[in-house]
Amino acid sequence: MKKRVIIDCDPGIDDSLALMYALSAPELEVVGITVVCGNVPTDMGVENARRVCRLMGRQDIPIYAGAGAPLSRPLVTAQDTHGMDGLGETHIPEVTEEEWPHTRFSEKTEAGGFHVHSDLPDAVAFISKALSEEKLSVIAIGPLTNIAMALQYKPQIGENVERFVSMGGNFKSFGNCSPVAEFNYWVDPEAARYVFEHMECPVEMVGLDVTRRIVLTPEMIRGLEQLGDPKADFIVKITRFYVDFHKKQEGIDGCVINDPLAVGYFINSDLCKGIDVYTTVETKGLSVGQTIVDEKGFWKKKANSRVLTRVDSPRFMRQFMSALFGSRGEAVLR
Ligand code: BDR
Ligand code: CA
């Protein structure tokens, strides 16, 4: 049985890879893609999600635009990391009206067949509605603004979240926005905190401790170049900028692809090990956005999260490449 999931994202280079993976994985049925502001402003994220769906021949998937700003602070994008267009400055042509069957800016009536409160972003309305009707899982690979808004709007939807996997945060590893904070939680710490404190099921936190181990190496990129496959060509094209950024910023060859691990771990939880623990997020001061993981139980609070600490990276890479390219995926890893 396929697992029905909502993917909440801010595409973004690694989000795009995660979407490609989720749309290829036989284990998943993506019921909707919701876009949040983060790496890029929301409208740009929606356009990029459309580009990925077109590439994958999946224009049947509804895409909903979400929050245009974090809960209570201005948006700081990561266009330095992902490029001004969010796809490594590849400027891939926009999806035309003919290529996209849904209404362009308001898909809620066309794709989801529902009408909502006019103040709510479409994505938040969709998440609230979908989770009021059935049990679903959510894989969140951007800031948690849409999810926090949905929980605030309809707190009871928490009961229908089967699994909640969030790429974000860091435990023992250092941050990528400050010495202590990771981007998704740093952009909207109030939302991240709200979700940790109000989600019924544990937040399965796929943080930098594990995602830093997921590196698309120059050898893999060369392998992808040789496949002669439009999906492989797309990956090579959009990661070029990301690779340059990683070289300059972190001194590494290749690029860290954080978000696909959230999908891989959702499909196969054996890929990672973690601890069940109480976690919250700092919202103020120098350490804003930091995940505080009460590993030693100082606060005697019930565990609200599973914080991942270890990952079998080679196994993840095999899983990822074979979902996208079948048996030809092995050649990329040789
Ligand atoms: C996270 O931040 C974004 O730039 C990536 O898409 C990923 O979700 C990593 O910190
Ligand atoms: Ca992301």
PDB file of all heavy atoms in Angstrom, residues 8-12 14-15 39 82 141-143 167 183-184 258-259, ligand 2:
ATOM      1  N   ASP A   8       5.575  19.508   1.980  1.00  0.00           N
ATOM      2  CA  ASP A   8       5.608  20.953   2.187  1.00  0.00           C
ATOM      3  C   ASP A   8       7.053  21.404   1.931  1.00  0.00           C
ATOM      4  O   ASP A   8       7.983  20.910   2.587  1.00  0.00           O
ATOM      5  CB  ASP A   8       5.176  21.273   3.626  1.00  0.00           C
ATOM      6  CG  ASP A   8       4.981  22.758   3.822  1.00  0.00           C
ATOM      7  OD1 ASP A   8       4.018  23.306   3.252  1.00  0.00           O
ATOM      8  OD2 ASP A   8       5.802  23.370   4.525  1.00  0.00           O
ATOM      9  N   CYS A   9       7.245  22.320   0.995  1.00  0.00           N
ATOM     10  CA  CYS A   9       8.615  22.584   0.546  1.00  0.00           C
ATOM     11  C   CYS A   9       8.839  24.028   0.119  1.00  0.00           C
ATOM     12  O   CYS A   9       7.883  24.801  -0.020  1.00  0.00           O
ATOM     13  CB  CYS A   9       8.926  21.663  -0.628  1.00  0.00           C
ATOM     14  SG  CYS A   9       7.763  21.860  -1.994  1.00  0.00           S
ATOM     15  N   ASP A  10      10.111  24.361  -0.126  1.00  0.00           N
ATOM     16  CA  ASP A  10      10.485  25.710  -0.587  1.00  0.00           C
ATOM     17  C   ASP A  10      11.522  25.591  -1.701  1.00  0.00           C
ATOM     18  O   ASP A  10      12.666  25.982  -1.528  1.00  0.00           O
ATOM     19  CB  ASP A  10      11.005  26.561   0.597  1.00  0.00           C
ATOM     20  CG  ASP A  10      12.222  25.968   1.293  1.00  0.00           C
ATOM     21  OD1 ASP A  10      12.415  24.727   1.247  1.00  0.00           O
ATOM     22  OD2 ASP A  10      13.006  26.741   1.879  1.00  0.00           O
ATOM     23  N   PRO A  11      11.114  25.042  -2.825  1.00  0.00           N
ATOM     24  CA  PRO A  11      12.124  24.722  -3.846  1.00  0.00           C
ATOM     25  C   PRO A  11      12.747  25.937  -4.520  1.00  0.00           C
ATOM     26  O   PRO A  11      12.069  26.761  -5.075  1.00  0.00           O
ATOM     27  CB  PRO A  11      11.332  23.908  -4.886  1.00  0.00           C
ATOM     28  CG  PRO A  11       9.894  24.120  -4.617  1.00  0.00           C
ATOM     29  CD  PRO A  11       9.759  24.691  -3.234  1.00  0.00           C
ATOM     30  N   GLY A  12      14.004  25.991  -4.446  1.00  0.00           N
ATOM     31  CA  GLY A  12      15.101  25.258  -3.795  1.00  0.00           C
ATOM     32  C   GLY A  12      15.656  24.067  -4.591  1.00  0.00           C
ATOM     33  O   GLY A  12      14.911  23.302  -5.179  1.00  0.00           O
ATOM     34  N   ASP A  14      17.802  21.472  -3.396  1.00  0.00           N
ATOM     35  CA  ASP A  14      17.670  20.138  -2.789  1.00  0.00           C
ATOM     36  C   ASP A  14      16.197  19.758  -2.608  1.00  0.00           C
ATOM     37  O   ASP A  14      15.839  18.579  -2.665  1.00  0.00           O
ATOM     38  CB  ASP A  14      18.469  19.999  -1.482  1.00  0.00           C
ATOM     39  CG  ASP A  14      18.099  21.015  -0.426  1.00  0.00           C
ATOM     40  OD1 ASP A  14      17.558  22.087  -0.757  1.00  0.00           O
ATOM     41  OD2 ASP A  14      18.352  20.730   0.766  1.00  0.00           O
ATOM     42  N   ASP A  15      15.301  20.757  -2.445  1.00  0.00           N
ATOM     43  CA  ASP A  15      13.856  20.455  -2.419  1.00  0.00           C
ATOM     44  C   ASP A  15      13.439  19.831  -3.750  1.00  0.00           C
ATOM     45  O   ASP A  15      12.615  18.916  -3.776  1.00  0.00           O
ATOM     46  CB  ASP A  15      13.035  21.741  -2.253  1.00  0.00           C
ATOM     47  CG  ASP A  15      13.302  22.443  -0.953  1.00  0.00           C
ATOM     48  OD1 ASP A  15      14.336  23.125  -0.852  1.00  0.00           O
ATOM     49  OD2 ASP A  15      12.490  22.316  -0.028  1.00  0.00           O
ATOM     50  N   ASN A  39      13.716  29.267   1.022  1.00  0.00           N
ATOM     51  CA  ASN A  39      14.844  29.470   0.105  1.00  0.00           C
ATOM     52  C   ASN A  39      14.567  30.611  -0.862  1.00  0.00           C
ATOM     53  O   ASN A  39      15.455  31.372  -1.225  1.00  0.00           O
ATOM     54  CB  ASN A  39      15.095  28.202  -0.713  1.00  0.00           C
ATOM     55  CG  ASN A  39      15.714  27.090   0.116  1.00  0.00           C
ATOM     56  OD1 ASN A  39      16.529  27.348   0.994  1.00  0.00           O
ATOM     57  ND2 ASN A  39      15.317  25.864  -0.159  1.00  0.00           N
ATOM     58  N   HIS A  82      20.902  29.031  -3.356  1.00  0.00           N
ATOM     59  CA  HIS A  82      20.104  28.324  -4.377  1.00  0.00           C
ATOM     60  C   HIS A  82      20.009  29.080  -5.695  1.00  0.00           C
ATOM     61  O   HIS A  82      19.389  28.590  -6.644  1.00  0.00           O
ATOM     62  CB  HIS A  82      18.695  28.057  -3.828  1.00  0.00           C
ATOM     63  CG  HIS A  82      18.701  27.105  -2.670  1.00  0.00           C
ATOM     64  ND1 HIS A  82      18.425  25.765  -2.804  1.00  0.00           N
ATOM     65  CD2 HIS A  82      19.001  27.290  -1.365  1.00  0.00           C
ATOM     66  CE1 HIS A  82      18.538  25.168  -1.624  1.00  0.00           C
ATOM     67  NE2 HIS A  82      18.877  26.081  -0.721  1.00  0.00           N
ATOM     68  N   ILE A 141      10.013  20.043   4.221  1.00  0.00           N
ATOM     69  CA  ILE A 141      11.435  20.255   3.918  1.00  0.00           C
ATOM     70  C   ILE A 141      11.765  21.746   3.747  1.00  0.00           C
ATOM     71  O   ILE A 141      12.753  22.091   3.117  1.00  0.00           O
ATOM     72  CB  ILE A 141      11.856  19.414   2.680  1.00  0.00           C
ATOM     73  CG1 ILE A 141      10.918  19.654   1.485  1.00  0.00           C
ATOM     74  CG2 ILE A 141      11.885  17.931   3.037  1.00  0.00           C
ATOM     75  CD1 ILE A 141      11.294  18.853   0.230  1.00  0.00           C
ATOM     76  N   GLY A 142      10.915  22.563   4.324  1.00  0.00           N
ATOM     77  CA  GLY A 142      11.180  24.002   4.346  1.00  0.00           C
ATOM     78  C   GLY A 142      10.884  24.520   5.744  1.00  0.00           C
ATOM     79  O   GLY A 142      10.618  23.732   6.672  1.00  0.00           O
ATOM     80  N   PRO A 143      10.868  25.831   5.922  1.00  0.00           N
ATOM     81  CA  PRO A 143      10.446  26.389   7.219  1.00  0.00           C
ATOM     82  C   PRO A 143       9.031  25.901   7.555  1.00  0.00           C
ATOM     83  O   PRO A 143       8.254  25.569   6.645  1.00  0.00           O
ATOM     84  CB  PRO A 143      10.485  27.899   6.958  1.00  0.00           C
ATOM     85  CG  PRO A 143      11.482  28.065   5.850  1.00  0.00           C
ATOM     86  CD  PRO A 143      11.320  26.858   4.971  1.00  0.00           C
ATOM     87  N   MET A 167      12.729  18.146   7.772  1.00  0.00           N
ATOM     88  CA  MET A 167      14.154  18.444   7.600  1.00  0.00           C
ATOM     89  C   MET A 167      14.382  19.789   8.257  1.00  0.00           C
ATOM     90  O   MET A 167      13.794  20.809   7.837  1.00  0.00           O
ATOM     91  CB  MET A 167      14.532  18.505   6.109  1.00  0.00           C
ATOM     92  CG  MET A 167      16.055  18.592   5.864  1.00  0.00           C
ATOM     93  SD  MET A 167      16.735  20.204   6.126  1.00  0.00           S
ATOM     94  CE  MET A 167      18.141  19.887   7.190  1.00  0.00           C
ATOM     95  N   PHE A 183      18.965  26.560   8.768  1.00  0.00           N
ATOM     96  CA  PHE A 183      18.146  27.500   7.990  1.00  0.00           C
ATOM     97  C   PHE A 183      16.631  27.373   8.218  1.00  0.00           C
ATOM     98  O   PHE A 183      15.968  28.365   8.531  1.00  0.00           O
ATOM     99  CB  PHE A 183      18.463  27.352   6.488  1.00  0.00           C
ATOM    100  CG  PHE A 183      17.645  28.264   5.617  1.00  0.00           C
ATOM    101  CD1 PHE A 183      17.940  29.621   5.521  1.00  0.00           C
ATOM    102  CD2 PHE A 183      16.554  27.785   4.903  1.00  0.00           C
ATOM    103  CE1 PHE A 183      17.169  30.474   4.725  1.00  0.00           C
ATOM    104  CE2 PHE A 183      15.777  28.625   4.103  1.00  0.00           C
ATOM    105  CZ  PHE A 183      16.093  29.984   4.025  1.00  0.00           C
ATOM    106  N   ASN A 184      16.045  26.190   8.048  1.00  0.00           N
ATOM    107  CA  ASN A 184      14.572  26.090   8.083  1.00  0.00           C
ATOM    108  C   ASN A 184      13.992  26.566   9.421  1.00  0.00           C
ATOM    109  O   ASN A 184      12.933  27.197   9.455  1.00  0.00           O
ATOM    110  CB  ASN A 184      14.108  24.657   7.810  1.00  0.00           C
ATOM    111  CG  ASN A 184      14.317  24.263   6.356  1.00  0.00           C
ATOM    112  OD1 ASN A 184      14.392  25.117   5.479  1.00  0.00           O
ATOM    113  ND2 ASN A 184      14.410  22.964   6.107  1.00  0.00           N
ATOM    114  N   ASN A 258      20.305  18.015   1.460  1.00  0.00           N
ATOM    115  CA  ASN A 258      19.605  17.758   2.729  1.00  0.00           C
ATOM    116  C   ASN A 258      18.233  17.114   2.540  1.00  0.00           C
ATOM    117  O   ASN A 258      17.911  16.092   3.147  1.00  0.00           O
ATOM    118  CB  ASN A 258      19.367  19.071   3.480  1.00  0.00           C
ATOM    119  CG  ASN A 258      20.627  19.870   3.699  1.00  0.00           C
ATOM    120  OD1 ASN A 258      21.361  19.595   4.631  1.00  0.00           O
ATOM    121  ND2 ASN A 258      20.900  20.845   2.849  1.00  0.00           N
ATOM    122  N   ASP A 259      17.406  17.762   1.727  1.00  0.00           N
ATOM    123  CA  ASP A 259      15.983  17.421   1.717  1.00  0.00           C
ATOM    124  C   ASP A 259      15.650  16.007   1.238  1.00  0.00           C
ATOM    125  O   ASP A 259      14.719  15.387   1.782  1.00  0.00           O
ATOM    126  CB  ASP A 259      15.207  18.463   0.904  1.00  0.00           C
ATOM    127  CG  ASP A 259      15.214  19.829   1.575  1.00  0.00           C
ATOM    128  OD1 ASP A 259      15.428  19.882   2.803  1.00  0.00           O
ATOM    129  OD2 ASP A 259      14.998  20.844   0.882  1.00  0.00           O
TER     130      ASP A 259
HETATM  131 CA    CA B   2      14.195  23.077   1.704  1.00  0.00          CA
END
